[in-house]
Amino acid sequence: MDLQEAAEAGQEMHPPEHTTMTVEEFLARDIEGYEYVKGELVPMSSPSLGHAKISARITRYLLTYVSENQLGDVFVEAGFKVGERGMKPHVAFISTARLPEDESKGSPIPPDLAVEVVSPTDVQWRVTEKVQAYLDAGTQMVWVVESVMKTVTVYRSTTDIKVFTGADTLTGEDVVLGFSCRVAQLFE
């Protein structure tokens, strides 16, 4: 029984890491707990309570602001086509003008803003590789949230990088126009 048959039968099946499929097939299937990199499924680590709490706070602040100002939509761990990868940022934003019409599968375009919350099991080079993939695919801004140092690193390009600490105010710049919150609020 393959993954699609299992889903149709209401059975849960965990996909093998070495699965042959395209990024489009990955996005259509919405395989939970995995990202798609270089033709293979890569398991995502389960978030700790602290990690999940930070992701929820970011989602709450962004979603409230984006909804009130009708700027687009905010997504949590949804699949996005990022170059030839299928990635699931912890939080993402797509502006109204770019929202895909079909919401029954992952997005065929990268988000305008991708937020990655670093977990205790993340390896720095993998986080950097994700940031590079987002930027190469056209994501306008990436926030990397680091809970140990309580910082947010904002990437606009490989040369436009800013680190914000608890005393700083994080903004959406021209991507989520008008959005701001104190960095410390994400970790309180």
Side-chain angles (χ1 to χ4, degrees), residues 26-99:
F26 171 79
L27 292 171
R29 290 182 183 178
D30 189 27
I31 301 171
E32 198 168 315
Y34 288 83
E35 289 186 320
Y36 176 88
V37 180
K38 299 177 184 170
E40 293 188 12
L41 296 176
V42 177
M44 296 171 60
S45 59
S46 294
S48 66
L49 286 177
H51 179 272
K53 183 165 69 174
I54 292 167
S55 293
R57 285 188 176 142
I58 293 166
T59 301
R60 182 180 70 207
Y61 295 132
L62 267 177
L63 183 59
T64 300
Y65 182 81
V66 166
S67 296
E68 287 174 355
N69 293 281
Q70 301 177 347
L71 299 176
D73 249 320
V74 174
F75 303 90
V76 177
E77 295 191 10
F80 290 87
K81 184 174 184 196
V82 178
E84 289 306 311
R85 293 171 173 242
M87 296 175 65
K88 295 182 179 180
H90 297 108
V91 183
F93 163 78
I94 298 181
S95 66
T96 301
R98 296 184 66 241
L99 282 170

Side-chain angles (χ1 to χ4, degrees), residues 61 168-171 179-183 185-186:
Y61 295 132
D168 297 322
T169 297
L170 180 65
T171 70
F179 173 80
S180 69
C181 80
R182 284 185 10 264
V183 170
Q185 288 177 268
L186 305 178

Side-chain angles (χ1 to χ4, degrees), residues 77-149:
E77 295 191 10
F80 290 87
K81 184 174 184 196
V82 178
E84 289 306 311
R85 293 171 173 242
M87 296 175 65
K88 295 182 179 180
H90 297 108
V91 183
F93 163 78
I94 298 181
S95 66
T96 301
R98 296 184 66 241
L99 282 170
E101 289 183 28
D102 184 0
E103 291 186 350
S104 67
K105 58 186 174 186
S107 174
I109 60 170
D112 295 311
L113 167 67
V115 181
E116 290 289 343
V117 180
V118 178
S119 72
T121 59
D122 279 330
V123 179
Q124 182 59 44
W125 69 265
R126 285 202 174 122
V127 174
T128 304
E129 188 178 68
K130 283 183 172 189
V131 170
Q132 185 71 57
Y134 285 122
L135 295 172
D136 288 349
T139 297
Q140 298 174 50
M141 183 165 35
V142 181
W143 294 347
V144 175
V145 182
E146 210 290 314
S147 63
V148 174
M149 295 297 292

Side-chain angles (χ1 to χ4, degrees), residues 5-25:
E5 291 169 338
E8 289 169 1
Q11 297 175 352
E12 186 174 327
M13 238 181 113
H14 297 287
E17 291 178 35
H18 299 287
T19 301
T20 304
M21 68 175 65
T22 65
V23 67
E24 290 77 14
E25 290 171 322

